[in-house]
Amino acid sequence: MSSEPAPAEHSPFDVSETEIDEALAACDGDARATIRALLVGQAYLEQEMSQVKADASSGFRRRRHALGD
């Protein structure tokens, strides 16, 4: 048995200082450009999620109709 404590579970909402530094570096240290890029990325993901939900819902309706439900 190891006496080392188990590593804490990593939440998808935990952001390290290194990840923040990498995001800033990707935008040449420009904080406003970094925020803009993150907001554009978030908007893109929200749009994709809406499309996936719409596609899944219509597919589900077609399947239920085919089964006579």
Side-chain angles (χ1 to χ4, degrees), residues 6 11 15 17 20 24 39 45 55-57 59 64-65 67 69:
S11 166
V15 179
E17 292 296 317
I20 294 169
L24 284 165
L39 291 172
L45 292 174
D55 291 346
S57 295
R64 286 189 58 156
H65 181 67
L67 294 174
D69 291 342

Side-chain angles (χ1 to χ4, degrees), residues 23-24 27 30-44:
L24 284 165
C27 294
D30 184 340
R32 291 183 65 82
T34 303
I35 293 168
R36 183 178 294 107
L38 294 171
L39 291 172
V40 167
Q42 180 181 353
Y44 172 79

Side-chain angles (χ1 to χ4, degrees), residues 44-68:
Y44 172 79
L45 292 174
E46 288 174 356
Q47 181 182 18
E48 288 291 307
M49 286 295 297
S50 293
Q51 186 62 49
V52 167
K53 286 180 183 179
D55 291 346
S57 295
S58 62
F60 179 74
R61 285 193 299 271
R62 281 194 302 273
R63 178 73 178 144
R64 286 189 58 156
H65 181 67
L67 294 174

